[in-house]
Amino acid sequence: MSSLRTDDDTWDIASSVGATAVMVAAARAAETERHDALINDPYAKVLVEGAGAGAWRFIADEDLVAKASESDPEVGALFEHMKNYQAVRTHFFDAFFSAAVDAGVRQIVILASGLDSRAFRLPWPAGTVVYEIDQPLVLDYKSSTLAAHGVAPTAERREVPIDLRQDWPAALVATGFDPARPTAWLAEGLLMYLPADAQDRLFAQITELSAPGSQVAAESMGVHAPDRRERMRERFASIASQIDIEPMDITELTYEDPDRAEVAEWLAAHGWTAQAVPSQDAMRRLDRYVEVADSDGQSFSTFTTGTKL
Ligand code: SAM
């Protein structure tokens, strides 16, 4: 169970859960620079650079990885797996939005949007409104940084600065969201930072606000045995000390709840169609799967999509 979290904790971009948004943006920046990139996020780099120094700097730094690999040969594979995972995840959810707008959806809600720059980088059809929900300081950081670089949104973008454990549906509606119109919802990199009951509440609220034809996509982590979590924590702490970075212990920020609902099962029981894709399958499809020791053959996560009946 999370040891650093409280029911009403807050953060900025460089602390606690906020810093995880920088980590994943750093992975998107690194992927964007590859000659065979699966995604193009031209704004990830400036968003990472503006966030200051942090554990994310190892993501793009091949020398640091090589140094850490000297004493732990698995580190290279682990880092490659993590970076590929992020690229595949972004690719998967970019495709989700592309299919949603092809189906005529023009109302988008990105939950816990962090440094997601889709409202600035995807080719949204005219008339699309993108709502972004996250903590106030996280949204402030993203919009001020992109504005300072002259980057404008490619859709009408509306910020909803509120914690998702509070009454976000009221805040969303107050910003102009129309529950009578079909919506495409995304929960990427979010659910593990919510307790299981808050996850159930979140999907109940999404369901309540979703007109027929609405679509939802979510990333959910598998539950790992405590001894495996401990081994991973020790491994990352050791890597961090070798390459002289502050360790970022995600397990202290997440809620690993064994009774957490399976998203696809929950959706199917509440008026949605649902399909679940293990992340390993999505990675193999794009030829980006890298075997890592100690994974017990398990997928890191599941990508679920659904349509409201
Ligand atoms: N979805 C973004 C992406 O994939 O790039 C950000 C993912 S980042 C790993 C986690 C994000 O969840 C952070 O931006 C954090 O502020 C947000 N978050 C976590 N719990 C939240 C909550 N209770 N309310 C609002 N935002 C939350």
Side-chain angles (χ1 to χ4, degrees), residues 5 7 9 11-13 15 17-25 28 86 89-90 93 110-118 133-136 138 162-166 186-195 219 250:
R5 304 291 311 278
D7 287 347
D9 51 348
W11 48 82
D12 61 15
I13 195 61
S15 60
V17 190
T20 67
V22 191
M23 293 290 275
V24 293
R28 290 194 291 269
Q86 293 297 335
R89 156 180 134 167
T90 306
F93 294 121
I110 306 180
L111 303 155
S113 57
L115 300 183
D116 181 329
S117 71
R118 289 187 176 94
I133 309 180
D134 207 303
Q135 288 228 352
V138 172
I162 190 167
D163 192 288
L164 287 158
R165 294 162 294 184
Q166 296 171 6
L186 175 62
E188 178 188 27
L190 165 64
L191 300 181
M192 69 275 212
Y193 301 110
L194 295 176
E219 173 201 32
I250 303 283

Side-chain angles (χ1 to χ4, degrees), residues 50-259:
W56 44 84
R57 88 185 147 91
F58 74 81
I59 290 189
D61 191 332
E62 298 293 338
D63 292 343
L64 280 184
V65 176
K67 191 171 164 208
S69 305
E70 281 166 19
S71 52
D72 183 348
E74 274 296 320
V75 166
L78 200 57
F79 278 31
E80 204 190 338
H81 184 97
M82 282 165 37
K83 285 201 278 186
N84 281 348
Y85 172 77
Q86 293 297 335
V88 168
R89 156 180 134 167
T90 306
H91 181 272
F92 186 94
F93 294 121
D94 279 2
F96 162 75
F97 279 131
S98 173
V101 295
D102 284 352
V105 176
R106 296 289 180 268
Q107 185 163 255
I108 309 294
V109 180
I110 306 180
L111 303 155
S113 57
L115 300 183
D116 181 329
S117 71
R118 289 187 176 94
F120 300 83
R121 68 177 177 80
L122 292 185
W124 301 105
T128 305
V129 183
V130 179
Y131 295 88
E132 292 195 25
I133 309 180
D134 207 303
Q135 288 228 352
L137 294 177
V138 172
L139 289 176
D140 273 357
Y141 169 73
K142 178 166 63 180
S143 41
S144 61
T145 305
L146 291 181
H149 284 82
V151 180
T154 49
E156 184 177 338
R157 174 175 175 269
R158 297 186 191 162
E159 293 189 352
V160 188
I162 190 167
D163 192 288
L164 287 158
R165 294 162 294 184
Q166 296 171 6
D167 188 4
W168 63 267
L172 181 65
V173 170
T175 319
F177 174 89
D178 180 359
R181 297 177 63 202
T183 303
W185 304 87
L186 175 62
E188 178 188 27
L190 165 64
L191 300 181
M192 69 275 212
Y193 301 110
L194 295 176
D197 59 338
Q199 172 179 316
D200 288 349
R201 208 160 43 246
L202 181 85
F203 280 108
Q205 289 163 318
I206 291 173
T207 302
E208 183 87 359
L209 293 168
S210 290
S214 292
Q215 304 195 18
V216 66
E219 173 201 32
S220 47
M221 295 299 148
V223 173
H224 303 302
D227 58 331
R228 176 158 179 249
R229 280 161 63 83
E230 184 52 24
R231 285 197 302 277
M232 290 303 283
R233 201 195 57 72
E234 283 169 7
R235 177 170 237 161
F236 279 113
S238 144
I239 294 170
S241 74
Q242 287 163 53
I243 58 181
D244 195 24
I245 57 172
E246 273 292 304
M248 187 183 214
D249 187 357
I250 303 283
T251 61
E252 294 199 316
L253 300 172
T254 57
Y255 292 85
E256 181 115 349
D257 193 333
D259 298 327

